[in-house]
Amino acid sequence: VQLQASGGGLVQAGGSLRLACTHSGPIYTNYIAGWFRQAPGKEREFVALIRWSSGSSYYGNSVKGRFTISKDNAKKMVTLQMNSLKPEDTAIYFCAAGPAFSNLASDYENWGQGTLVTVSS
């Protein structure tokens, strides 16, 4: 599975961005697609995940209520709609894939290259 993330950019606080992650190769039924982020000098942080088969999702506390993860099985694409962005959301955002419904980066087997999101105050 190869992942390609896109959609990052510069936005003012309070604004919105939509990230996309395109998956190439097979999508296994119970596979999980996730988003993580990493700010300079900080550890990688879980953002959100979704199960390809059921659409069940789970969010990190810092983004709950502001971000929405969704999927398009036909396009093999997962999107992350980010609203009410804050300067602390500034980070490189990575998409990932793996078999476990998990918020741990170590449980994900495949990673995209990352896309930079910068939120100005």
Side-chain angles (χ1 to χ4, degrees):
V1 176
Q2 291 186 324
L3 309 177
Q4 180 73 37
S6 61
L10 173 65
V11 64
Q12 288 189 331
S16 298
L17 275 177
R18 175 174 290 199
L19 305 183
C21 181
T22 302
H23 295 229
S24 62
I27 302 295
Y28 301 107
T29 302
N30 287 318
Y31 239 51
I32 305 300
W35 286 96
F36 289 77
R37 66 187 183 186
Q38 189 163 16
K42 294 189 176 181
E43 294 193 356
R44 195 161 293 193
E45 176 189 13
F46 168 74
V47 176
L49 64 82
I50 191 165
R51 189 185 294 278
W52 279 105
S53 58
S54 66
S56 297
S57 60
Y58 180 67
Y59 296 89
N61 288 334
S62 61
V63 307
K64 203 173 295 183
R66 300 187 297 122
F67 291 10
T68 302
I69 190 170
S70 61
K71 63 180 179 70
D72 185 326
N73 290 53
K75 294 181 179 179
K76 294 185 180 179
M77 182 180 293
V78 175
T79 59
L80 184 69
Q81 177 66 42
M82 306 185 295
N83 298 329
S84 302
L85 282 161
K86 306 174 182 179
E88 51 264 44
D89 293 318
T90 295
I92 299 174
Y93 283 69
F94 298 90
C95 57
F101 198 88
S102 170
N103 62 355
L104 299 178
S106 57
D107 285 334
Y108 288 78
E109 300 173 341
N110 306 100
W111 291 84
Q113 84 288 3
T115 184
L116 177 62
V117 171
T118 303
V119 184
S120 63
S121 56

mmCIF file of all heavy atoms in Angstrom, residues 64-116:
data_model
loop_
_atom_site.group_PDB
_atom_site.id
_atom_site.type_symbol
_atom_site.label_atom_id
_atom_site.label_comp_id
_atom_site.label_asym_id
_atom_site.label_seq_id
_atom_site.Cartn_x
_atom_site.Cartn_y
_atom_site.Cartn_z
ATOM 1 N N LYS A 64 -11.331 16.832 18.252
ATOM 2 C CA LYS A 64 -12.717 16.379 18.296
ATOM 3 C C LYS A 64 -13.672 17.570 18.180
ATOM 4 O O LYS A 64 -13.500 18.578 18.860
ATOM 5 C CB LYS A 64 -12.950 15.617 19.599
ATOM 6 C CG LYS A 64 -14.108 14.649 19.579
ATOM 7 C CD LYS A 64 -14.137 13.829 20.867
ATOM 8 C CE LYS A 64 -12.930 12.940 21.000
ATOM 9 N NZ LYS A 64 -12.982 12.080 22.203
ATOM 10 N N GLY A 65 -14.643 17.432 17.296
ATOM 11 C CA GLY A 65 -15.616 18.499 17.093
ATOM 12 C C GLY A 65 -15.204 19.521 16.052
ATOM 13 O O GLY A 65 -16.024 20.336 15.613
ATOM 14 N N ARG A 66 -13.947 19.505 15.642
ATOM 15 C CA ARG A 66 -13.464 20.456 14.634
ATOM 16 C C ARG A 66 -13.059 19.753 13.336
ATOM 17 O O ARG A 66 -13.189 20.325 12.260
ATOM 18 C CB ARG A 66 -12.262 21.233 15.176
ATOM 19 C CG ARG A 66 -12.557 22.040 16.416
ATOM 20 C CD ARG A 66 -11.368 22.923 16.804
ATOM 21 N NE ARG A 66 -10.185 22.149 17.145
ATOM 22 C CZ ARG A 66 -9.008 22.272 16.536
ATOM 23 N NH1 ARG A 66 -8.860 23.143 15.560
ATOM 24 N NH2 ARG A 66 -7.975 21.536 16.925
ATOM 25 N N PHE A 67 -12.540 18.555 13.452
ATOM 26 C CA PHE A 67 -12.071 17.801 12.291
ATOM 27 C C PHE A 67 -13.037 16.658 11.999
ATOM 28 O O PHE A 67 -13.628 16.074 12.910
ATOM 29 C CB PHE A 67 -10.685 17.207 12.544
ATOM 30 C CG PHE A 67 -9.564 18.199 12.640
ATOM 31 C CD1 PHE A 67 -9.786 19.571 12.717
ATOM 32 C CD2 PHE A 67 -8.245 17.755 12.656
ATOM 33 C CE1 PHE A 67 -8.740 20.469 12.806
ATOM 34 C CE2 PHE A 67 -7.190 18.642 12.746
ATOM 35 C CZ PHE A 67 -7.444 19.999 12.828
ATOM 36 N N THR A 68 -13.159 16.326 10.721
ATOM 37 C CA THR A 68 -13.994 15.202 10.307
ATOM 38 C C THR A 68 -13.233 14.358 9.295
ATOM 39 O O THR A 68 -12.727 14.878 8.294
ATOM 40 C CB THR A 68 -15.303 15.688 9.668
ATOM 41 O OG1 THR A 68 -16.004 16.514 10.600
ATOM 42 C CG2 THR A 68 -16.185 14.501 9.284
ATOM 43 N N ILE A 69 -13.174 13.071 9.568
ATOM 44 C CA ILE A 69 -12.529 12.142 8.642
ATOM 45 C C ILE A 69 -13.608 11.412 7.859
ATOM 46 O O ILE A 69 -14.665 11.070 8.401
ATOM 47 C CB ILE A 69 -11.613 11.152 9.401
ATOM 48 C CG1 ILE A 69 -10.755 10.349 8.425
ATOM 49 C CG2 ILE A 69 -12.401 10.249 10.336
ATOM 50 C CD1 ILE A 69 -9.650 9.529 9.121
ATOM 51 N N SER A 70 -13.365 11.214 6.578
ATOM 52 C CA SER A 70 -14.318 10.496 5.735
ATOM 53 C C SER A 70 -13.551 9.693 4.681
ATOM 54 O O SER A 70 -12.345 9.878 4.523
ATOM 55 C CB SER A 70 -15.288 11.462 5.066
ATOM 56 O OG SER A 70 -14.598 12.375 4.242
ATOM 57 N N LYS A 71 -14.264 8.821 3.992
ATOM 58 C CA LYS A 71 -13.614 7.948 3.017
ATOM 59 C C LYS A 71 -14.443 7.821 1.766
ATOM 60 O O LYS A 71 -15.664 7.994 1.789
ATOM 61 C CB LYS A 71 -13.380 6.553 3.629
ATOM 62 C CG LYS A 71 -14.682 5.840 3.982
ATOM 63 C CD LYS A 71 -14.412 4.492 4.583
ATOM 64 C CE LYS A 71 -15.717 3.804 4.962
ATOM 65 N NZ LYS A 71 -16.476 3.387 3.771
ATOM 66 N N ASP A 72 -13.779 7.516 0.691
ATOM 67 C CA ASP A 72 -14.424 7.202 -0.573
ATOM 68 C C ASP A 72 -13.793 5.916 -1.068
ATOM 69 O O ASP A 72 -12.681 5.928 -1.595
ATOM 70 C CB ASP A 72 -14.228 8.344 -1.573
ATOM 71 C CG ASP A 72 -14.981 8.131 -2.875
ATOM 72 O OD1 ASP A 72 -15.106 6.959 -3.301
ATOM 73 O OD2 ASP A 72 -15.420 9.122 -3.467
ATOM 74 N N ASN A 73 -14.486 4.810 -0.870
ATOM 75 C CA ASN A 73 -13.906 3.513 -1.207
ATOM 76 C C ASN A 73 -13.616 3.395 -2.699
ATOM 77 O O ASN A 73 -12.607 2.816 -3.091
ATOM 78 C CB ASN A 73 -14.831 2.387 -0.773
ATOM 79 C CG ASN A 73 -14.885 2.245 0.725
ATOM 80 O OD1 ASN A 73 -15.148 3.203 1.432
ATOM 81 N ND2 ASN A 73 -14.655 1.044 1.227
ATOM 82 N N ALA A 74 -14.483 3.941 -3.523
ATOM 83 C CA ALA A 74 -14.289 3.824 -4.971
ATOM 84 C C ALA A 74 -13.023 4.538 -5.419
ATOM 85 O O ALA A 74 -12.308 4.075 -6.301
ATOM 86 C CB ALA A 74 -15.503 4.377 -5.705
ATOM 87 N N LYS A 75 -12.750 5.687 -4.797
ATOM 88 C CA LYS A 75 -11.554 6.454 -5.159
ATOM 89 C C LYS A 75 -10.351 6.057 -4.318
ATOM 90 O O LYS A 75 -9.250 6.571 -4.545
ATOM 91 C CB LYS A 75 -11.826 7.950 -4.987
ATOM 92 C CG LYS A 75 -12.869 8.512 -5.935
ATOM 93 C CD LYS A 75 -13.046 10.003 -5.716
ATOM 94 C CE LYS A 75 -14.074 10.572 -6.687
ATOM 95 N NZ LYS A 75 -14.278 12.045 -6.465
ATOM 96 N N LYS A 76 -10.557 5.188 -3.343
ATOM 97 C CA LYS A 76 -9.482 4.814 -2.403
ATOM 98 C C LYS A 76 -8.880 6.065 -1.777
ATOM 99 O O LYS A 76 -7.664 6.232 -1.713
ATOM 100 C CB LYS A 76 -8.403 4.000 -3.112
ATOM 101 C CG LYS A 76 -8.858 2.642 -3.601
ATOM 102 C CD LYS A 76 -7.673 1.863 -4.175
ATOM 103 C CE LYS A 76 -8.084 0.503 -4.678
ATOM 104 N NZ LYS A 76 -6.926 -0.236 -5.249
ATOM 105 N N MET A 77 -9.747 6.928 -1.307
ATOM 106 C CA MET A 77 -9.303 8.200 -0.775
ATOM 107 C C MET A 77 -9.918 8.451 0.595
ATOM 108 O O MET A 77 -11.090 8.171 0.823
ATOM 109 C CB MET A 77 -9.694 9.349 -1.716
ATOM 110 C CG MET A 77 -9.229 10.721 -1.269
ATOM 111 S SD MET A 77 -9.717 12.021 -2.406
ATOM 112 C CE MET A 77 -8.733 11.576 -3.834
ATOM 113 N N VAL A 78 -9.089 8.965 1.485
ATOM 114 C CA VAL A 78 -9.539 9.386 2.805
ATOM 115 C C VAL A 78 -9.297 10.882 2.922
ATOM 116 O O VAL A 78 -8.213 11.364 2.574
ATOM 117 C CB VAL A 78 -8.783 8.631 3.909
ATOM 118 C CG1 VAL A 78 -9.160 9.171 5.287
ATOM 119 C CG2 VAL A 78 -9.079 7.143 3.829
ATOM 120 N N THR A 79 -10.292 11.602 3.392
ATOM 121 C CA THR A 79 -10.142 13.042 3.533
ATOM 122 C C THR A 79 -10.251 13.441 5.000
ATOM 123 O O THR A 79 -10.908 12.766 5.796
ATOM 124 C CB THR A 79 -11.190 13.812 2.723
ATOM 125 O OG1 THR A 79 -12.492 13.428 3.163
ATOM 126 C CG2 THR A 79 -11.058 13.510 1.250
ATOM 127 N N LEU A 80 -9.600 14.525 5.334
ATOM 128 C CA LEU A 80 -9.661 15.090 6.671
ATOM 129 C C LEU A 80 -10.086 16.544 6.518
ATOM 130 O O LEU A 80 -9.300 17.375 6.037
ATOM 131 C CB LEU A 80 -8.311 14.997 7.370
ATOM 132 C CG LEU A 80 -8.293 15.476 8.820
ATOM 133 C CD1 LEU A 80 -9.086 14.505 9.712
ATOM 134 C CD2 LEU A 80 -6.853 15.595 9.338
ATOM 135 N N GLN A 81 -11.322 16.817 6.866
ATOM 136 C CA GLN A 81 -11.836 18.184 6.825
ATOM 137 C C GLN A 81 -11.506 18.848 8.152
ATOM 138 O O GLN A 81 -11.926 18.366 9.207
ATOM 139 C CB GLN A 81 -13.346 18.187 6.592
ATOM 140 C CG GLN A 81 -13.974 19.560 6.600
ATOM 141 C CD GLN A 81 -13.504 20.412 5.429
ATOM 142 O OE1 GLN A 81 -13.395 19.930 4.310
ATOM 143 N NE2 GLN A 81 -13.224 21.691 5.696
ATOM 144 N N MET A 82 -10.761 19.931 8.080
ATOM 145 C CA MET A 82 -10.305 20.607 9.287
ATOM 146 C C MET A 82 -10.939 21.994 9.354
ATOM 147 O O MET A 82 -10.677 22.830 8.475
ATOM 148 C CB MET A 82 -8.780 20.713 9.285
ATOM 149 C CG MET A 82 -8.084 19.378 9.086
ATOM 150 S SD MET A 82 -6.284 19.484 9.233
ATOM 151 C CE MET A 82 -5.902 20.515 7.831
ATOM 152 N N ASN A 83 -11.754 22.201 10.346
ATOM 153 C CA ASN A 83 -12.434 23.487 10.539
ATOM 154 C C ASN A 83 -11.972 24.141 11.826
ATOM 155 O O ASN A 83 -11.383 23.487 12.692
ATOM 156 C CB ASN A 83 -13.944 23.281 10.582
ATOM 157 C CG ASN A 83 -14.494 22.710 9.288
ATOM 158 O OD1 ASN A 83 -13.967 22.965 8.207
ATOM 159 N ND2 ASN A 83 -15.554 21.923 9.395
ATOM 160 N N SER A 84 -12.261 25.413 11.945
ATOM 161 C CA SER A 84 -11.910 26.170 13.162
ATOM 162 C C SER A 84 -10.457 25.952 13.535
ATOM 163 O O SER A 84 -10.129 25.674 14.697
ATOM 164 C CB SER A 84 -12.829 25.752 14.316
ATOM 165 O OG SER A 84 -14.183 25.974 13.991
ATOM 166 N N LEU A 85 -9.596 26.083 12.557
ATOM 167 C CA LEU A 85 -8.181 25.797 12.780
ATOM 168 C C LEU A 85 -7.552 26.789 13.748
ATOM 169 O O LEU A 85 -7.916 27.975 13.777
ATOM 170 C CB LEU A 85 -7.433 25.796 11.452
ATOM 171 C CG LEU A 85 -7.636 24.519 10.626
ATOM 172 C CD1 LEU A 85 -7.268 24.745 9.173
ATOM 173 C CD2 LEU A 85 -6.838 23.374 11.209
ATOM 174 N N LYS A 86 -6.607 26.276 14.519
ATOM 175 C CA LYS A 86 -5.901 27.060 15.527
ATOM 176 C C LYS A 86 -4.401 27.027 15.222
ATOM 177 O O LYS A 86 -3.930 26.082 14.592
ATOM 178 C CB LYS A 86 -6.137 26.466 16.913
ATOM 179 C CG LYS A 86 -7.593 26.291 17.288
ATOM 180 C CD LYS A 86 -7.709 25.562 18.625
ATOM 181 C CE LYS A 86 -9.160 25.338 19.006
ATOM 182 N NZ LYS A 86 -9.281 24.614 20.305
ATOM 183 N N PRO A 87 -3.668 28.022 15.691
ATOM 184 C CA PRO A 87 -2.212 27.994 15.470
ATOM 185 C C PRO A 87 -1.561 26.710 15.978
ATOM 186 O O PRO A 87 -0.600 26.222 15.370
ATOM 187 C CB PRO A 87 -1.723 29.224 16.240
ATOM 188 C CG PRO A 87 -2.886 30.163 16.199
ATOM 189 C CD PRO A 87 -4.102 29.287 16.291
ATOM 190 N N GLU A 88 -2.099 26.145 17.027
ATOM 191 C CA GLU A 88 -1.523 24.899 17.563
ATOM 192 C C GLU A 88 -1.796 23.686 16.683
ATOM 193 O O GLU A 88 -1.286 22.599 16.959
ATOM 194 C CB GLU A 88 -2.017 24.644 18.998
ATOM 195 C CG GLU A 88 -3.507 24.716 19.185
ATOM 196 C CD GLU A 88 -3.964 26.079 19.685
ATOM 197 O OE1 GLU A 88 -3.476 27.116 19.171
ATOM 198 O OE2 GLU A 88 -4.832 26.096 20.576
ATOM 199 N N ASP A 89 -2.597 23.844 15.645
ATOM 200 C CA ASP A 89 -2.794 22.768 14.680
ATOM 201 C C ASP A 89 -1.661 22.724 13.641
ATOM 202 O O ASP A 89 -1.607 21.807 12.815
ATOM 203 C CB ASP A 89 -4.126 22.936 13.940
ATOM 204 C CG ASP A 89 -5.325 22.753 14.851
ATOM 205 O OD1 ASP A 89 -5.303 21.822 15.688
ATOM 206 O OD2 ASP A 89 -6.283 23.540 14.728
ATOM 207 N N THR A 90 -0.786 23.705 13.688
ATOM 208 C CA THR A 90 0.334 23.746 12.752
ATOM 209 C C THR A 90 1.225 22.532 12.931
ATOM 210 O O THR A 90 1.684 22.245 14.037
ATOM 211 C CB THR A 90 1.155 25.031 12.962
ATOM 212 O OG1 THR A 90 0.350 26.165 12.633
ATOM 213 C CG2 THR A 90 2.404 25.026 12.097
ATOM 214 N N ALA A 91 1.426 21.795 11.848
ATOM 215 C CA ALA A 91 2.211 20.561 11.910
ATOM 216 C C ALA A 91 2.320 19.977 10.507
ATOM 217 O O ALA A 91 1.640 20.430 9.581
ATOM 218 C CB ALA A 91 1.542 19.540 12.829
ATOM 219 N N ILE A 92 3.161 18.979 10.390
ATOM 220 C CA ILE A 92 3.139 18.130 9.197
ATOM 221 C C ILE A 92 2.135 17.023 9.469
ATOM 222 O O ILE A 92 2.210 16.356 10.508
ATOM 223 C CB ILE A 92 4.522 17.537 8.898
ATOM 224 C CG1 ILE A 92 5.530 18.652 8.627
ATOM 225 C CG2 ILE A 92 4.446 16.596 7.694
ATOM 226 C CD1 ILE A 92 6.949 18.170 8.459
ATOM 227 N N TYR A 93 1.208 16.853 8.554
ATOM 228 C CA TYR A 93 0.157 15.853 8.694
ATOM 229 C C TYR A 93 0.498 14.646 7.825
ATOM 230 O O TYR A 93 0.794 14.798 6.632
ATOM 231 C CB TYR A 93 -1.192 16.434 8.301
ATOM 232 C CG TYR A 93 -1.769 17.333 9.367
ATOM 233 C CD1 TYR A 93 -1.181 18.568 9.653
ATOM 234 C CD2 TYR A 93 -2.871 16.947 10.124
ATOM 235 C CE1 TYR A 93 -1.684 19.391 10.654
ATOM 236 C CE2 TYR A 93 -3.393 17.755 11.117
ATOM 237 C CZ TYR A 93 -2.789 18.981 11.382
ATOM 238 O OH TYR A 93 -3.291 19.784 12.375
ATOM 239 N N PHE A 94 0.436 13.484 8.440
ATOM 240 C CA PHE A 94 0.754 12.230 7.766
ATOM 241 C C PHE A 94 -0.485 11.342 7.710
ATOM 242 O O PHE A 94 -1.200 11.210 8.701
ATOM 243 C CB PHE A 94 1.839 11.467 8.524
ATOM 244 C CG PHE A 94 3.149 12.186 8.625
ATOM 245 C CD1 PHE A 94 3.418 13.036 9.691
ATOM 246 C CD2 PHE A 94 4.135 12.000 7.671
ATOM 247 C CE1 PHE A 94 4.623 13.695 9.803
ATOM 248 C CE2 PHE A 94 5.358 12.643 7.763
ATOM 249 C CZ PHE A 94 5.594 13.503 8.832
ATOM 250 N N CYS A 95 -0.697 10.711 6.570
ATOM 251 C CA CYS A 95 -1.715 9.673 6.528
ATOM 252 C C CYS A 95 -1.036 8.318 6.678
ATOM 253 O O CYS A 95 0.149 8.161 6.337
ATOM 254 C CB CYS A 95 -2.543 9.742 5.254
ATOM 255 S SG CYS A 95 -1.640 9.628 3.701
ATOM 256 N N ALA A 96 -1.771 7.379 7.201
ATOM 257 C CA ALA A 96 -1.221 6.068 7.513
ATOM 258 C C ALA A 96 -2.280 5.000 7.314
ATOM 259 O O ALA A 96 -3.479 5.302 7.266
ATOM 260 C CB ALA A 96 -0.709 6.042 8.950
ATOM 261 N N ALA A 97 -1.823 3.757 7.211
ATOM 262 C CA ALA A 97 -2.738 2.630 7.051
ATOM 263 C C ALA A 97 -2.210 1.435 7.825
ATOM 264 O O ALA A 97 -0.989 1.222 7.914
ATOM 265 C CB ALA A 97 -2.901 2.270 5.579
ATOM 266 N N GLY A 98 -3.146 0.667 8.382
ATOM 267 C CA GLY A 98 -2.741 -0.516 9.130
ATOM 268 C C GLY A 98 -3.934 -1.331 9.531
ATOM 269 O O GLY A 98 -5.080 -0.921 9.301
ATOM 270 N N PRO A 99 -3.710 -2.479 10.162
ATOM 271 C CA PRO A 99 -4.801 -3.390 10.490
ATOM 272 C C PRO A 99 -5.485 -3.130 11.832
ATOM 273 O O PRO A 99 -6.549 -3.694 12.086
ATOM 274 C CB PRO A 99 -4.100 -4.749 10.521
ATOM 275 C CG PRO A 99 -2.700 -4.423 10.966
ATOM 276 C CD PRO A 99 -2.394 -3.066 10.386
ATOM 277 N N ALA A 100 -4.907 -2.297 12.671
ATOM 278 C CA ALA A 100 -5.427 -2.138 14.029
ATOM 279 C C ALA A 100 -6.198 -0.837 14.197
ATOM 280 O O ALA A 100 -5.755 0.215 13.728
ATOM 281 C CB ALA A 100 -4.287 -2.192 15.032
ATOM 282 N N PHE A 101 -7.338 -0.918 14.886
ATOM 283 C CA PHE A 101 -8.134 0.268 15.232
ATOM 284 C C PHE A 101 -7.415 0.911 16.418
ATOM 285 O O PHE A 101 -7.764 0.695 17.569
ATOM 286 C CB PHE A 101 -9.548 -0.167 15.602
ATOM 287 C CG PHE A 101 -10.554 0.942 15.562
ATOM 288 C CD1 PHE A 101 -11.228 1.250 14.392
ATOM 289 C CD2 PHE A 101 -10.862 1.672 16.705
ATOM 290 C CE1 PHE A 101 -12.184 2.264 14.345
ATOM 291 C CE2 PHE A 101 -11.813 2.691 16.677
ATOM 292 C CZ PHE A 101 -12.477 2.983 15.490
ATOM 293 N N SER A 102 -6.434 1.733 16.102
ATOM 294 C CA SER A 102 -5.495 2.172 17.126
ATOM 295 C C SER A 102 -5.087 3.619 16.932
ATOM 296 O O SER A 102 -4.987 4.096 15.791
ATOM 297 C CB SER A 102 -4.254 1.281 17.072
ATOM 298 O OG SER A 102 -3.221 1.796 17.875
ATOM 299 N N ASN A 103 -4.816 4.297 18.034
ATOM 300 C CA ASN A 103 -4.297 5.660 17.979
ATOM 301 C C ASN A 103 -2.783 5.700 18.178
ATOM 302 O O ASN A 103 -2.217 6.768 18.403
ATOM 303 C CB ASN A 103 -4.997 6.547 18.997
ATOM 304 C CG ASN A 103 -4.777 6.079 20.430
ATOM 305 O OD1 ASN A 103 -4.174 5.041 20.662
ATOM 306 N ND2 ASN A 103 -5.240 6.847 21.381
ATOM 307 N N LEU A 104 -2.143 4.545 18.094
ATOM 308 C CA LEU A 104 -0.688 4.479 18.249
ATOM 309 C C LEU A 104 -0.010 4.427 16.884
ATOM 310 O O LEU A 104 -0.321 3.564 16.059
ATOM 311 C CB LEU A 104 -0.300 3.237 19.059
ATOM 312 C CG LEU A 104 -0.846 3.168 20.487
ATOM 313 C CD1 LEU A 104 -0.417 1.864 21.139
ATOM 314 C CD2 LEU A 104 -0.374 4.356 21.302
ATOM 315 N N ALA A 105 0.922 5.313 16.671
ATOM 316 C CA ALA A 105 1.616 5.353 15.385
ATOM 317 C C ALA A 105 2.327 4.037 15.090
ATOM 318 O O ALA A 105 2.422 3.618 13.939
ATOM 319 C CB ALA A 105 2.608 6.508 15.379
ATOM 320 N N SER A 106 2.797 3.371 16.125
ATOM 321 C CA SER A 106 3.535 2.115 15.937
ATOM 322 C C SER A 106 2.666 0.996 15.391
ATOM 323 O O SER A 106 3.183 -0.018 14.914
ATOM 324 C CB SER A 106 4.166 1.679 17.265
ATOM 325 O OG SER A 106 3.180 1.556 18.262
ATOM 326 N N ASP A 107 1.352 1.148 15.448
ATOM 327 C CA ASP A 107 0.449 0.112 14.931
ATOM 328 C C ASP A 107 0.162 0.268 13.445
ATOM 329 O O ASP A 107 -0.558 -0.549 12.872
ATOM 330 C CB ASP A 107 -0.878 0.139 15.696
ATOM 331 C CG ASP A 107 -0.753 -0.456 17.086
ATOM 332 O OD1 ASP A 107 0.147 -1.305 17.284
ATOM 333 O OD2 ASP A 107 -1.535 -0.061 17.972
ATOM 334 N N TYR A 108 0.700 1.287 12.819
ATOM 335 C CA TYR A 108 0.445 1.530 11.401
ATOM 336 C C TYR A 108 1.643 1.093 10.572
ATOM 337 O O TYR A 108 2.785 1.383 10.897
ATOM 338 C CB TYR A 108 0.112 3.003 11.169
ATOM 339 C CG TYR A 108 -1.253 3.348 11.709
ATOM 340 C CD1 TYR A 108 -1.450 3.543 13.070
ATOM 341 C CD2 TYR A 108 -2.353 3.417 10.871
ATOM 342 C CE1 TYR A 108 -2.710 3.815 13.588
ATOM 343 C CE2 TYR A 108 -3.620 3.711 11.372
ATOM 344 C CZ TYR A 108 -3.780 3.895 12.733
ATOM 345 O OH TYR A 108 -5.033 4.164 13.231
ATOM 346 N N GLU A 109 1.347 0.388 9.489
ATOM 347 C CA GLU A 109 2.401 -0.232 8.684
ATOM 348 C C GLU A 109 2.837 0.633 7.503
ATOM 349 O O GLU A 109 3.969 0.508 7.023
ATOM 350 C CB GLU A 109 1.894 -1.580 8.147
ATOM 351 C CG GLU A 109 1.500 -2.557 9.253
ATOM 352 C CD GLU A 109 0.846 -3.816 8.713
ATOM 353 O OE1 GLU A 109 0.376 -3.799 7.553
ATOM 354 O OE2 GLU A 109 0.806 -4.813 9.453
ATOM 355 N N ASN A 110 1.942 1.454 7.020
ATOM 356 C CA ASN A 110 2.231 2.223 5.808
ATOM 357 C C ASN A 110 1.999 3.708 6.084
ATOM 358 O O ASN A 110 1.012 4.071 6.725
ATOM 359 C CB ASN A 110 1.331 1.771 4.655
ATOM 360 C CG ASN A 110 1.413 0.281 4.403
ATOM 361 O OD1 ASN A 110 0.538 -0.465 4.833
ATOM 362 N ND2 ASN A 110 2.469 -0.154 3.756
ATOM 363 N N TRP A 111 2.891 4.530 5.543
ATOM 364 C CA TRP A 111 2.830 5.962 5.796
ATOM 365 C C TRP A 111 3.002 6.752 4.505
ATOM 366 O O TRP A 111 3.791 6.374 3.635
ATOM 367 C CB TRP A 111 3.933 6.370 6.773
ATOM 368 C CG TRP A 111 3.706 5.853 8.162
ATOM 369 C CD1 TRP A 111 4.037 4.618 8.646
ATOM 370 C CD2 TRP A 111 3.070 6.546 9.234
ATOM 371 N NE1 TRP A 111 3.640 4.512 9.960
ATOM 372 C CE2 TRP A 111 3.045 5.683 10.348
ATOM 373 C CE3 TRP A 111 2.517 7.831 9.362
ATOM 374 C CZ2 TRP A 111 2.491 6.058 11.578
ATOM 375 C CZ3 TRP A 111 1.966 8.198 10.577
ATOM 376 C CH2 TRP A 111 1.958 7.317 11.671
ATOM 377 N N GLY A 112 2.278 7.843 4.423
ATOM 378 C CA GLY A 112 2.487 8.792 3.335
ATOM 379 C C GLY A 112 3.621 9.741 3.676
ATOM 380 O O GLY A 112 4.181 9.705 4.778
ATOM 381 N N GLN A 113 3.915 10.648 2.765
ATOM 382 C CA GLN A 113 5.085 11.496 2.911
ATOM 383 C C GLN A 113 4.844 12.717 3.788
ATOM 384 O O GLN A 113 5.791 13.364 4.188
ATOM 385 C CB GLN A 113 5.589 11.964 1.530
ATOM 386 C CG GLN A 113 4.892 13.176 0.966
ATOM 387 C CD GLN A 113 3.472 12.916 0.485
ATOM 388 O OE1 GLN A 113 2.934 11.808 0.602
ATOM 389 N NE2 GLN A 113 2.847 13.936 -0.072
ATOM 390 N N GLY A 114 3.603 13.040 4.091
ATOM 391 C CA GLY A 114 3.298 14.189 4.919
ATOM 392 C C GLY A 114 3.008 15.432 4.108
ATOM 393 O O GLY A 114 3.550 15.630 3.013
ATOM 394 N N THR A 115 2.139 16.257 4.668
ATOM 395 C CA THR A 115 1.808 17.538 4.036
ATOM 396 C C THR A 115 1.745 18.600 5.131
ATOM 397 O O THR A 115 1.199 18.364 6.209
ATOM 398 C CB THR A 115 0.481 17.447 3.256
ATOM 399 O OG1 THR A 115 0.233 18.674 2.575
ATOM 400 C CG2 THR A 115 -0.708 17.112 4.155
ATOM 401 N N LEU A 116 2.327 19.757 4.861
ATOM 402 C CA LEU A 116 2.477 20.783 5.885
ATOM 403 C C LEU A 116 1.227 21.653 5.981
ATOM 404 O O LEU A 116 0.747 22.184 4.966
ATOM 405 C CB LEU A 116 3.691 21.660 5.582
ATOM 406 C CG LEU A 116 3.954 22.826 6.533
ATOM 407 C CD1 LEU A 116 4.235 22.318 7.947
ATOM 408 C CD2 LEU A 116 5.123 23.677 6.023
#
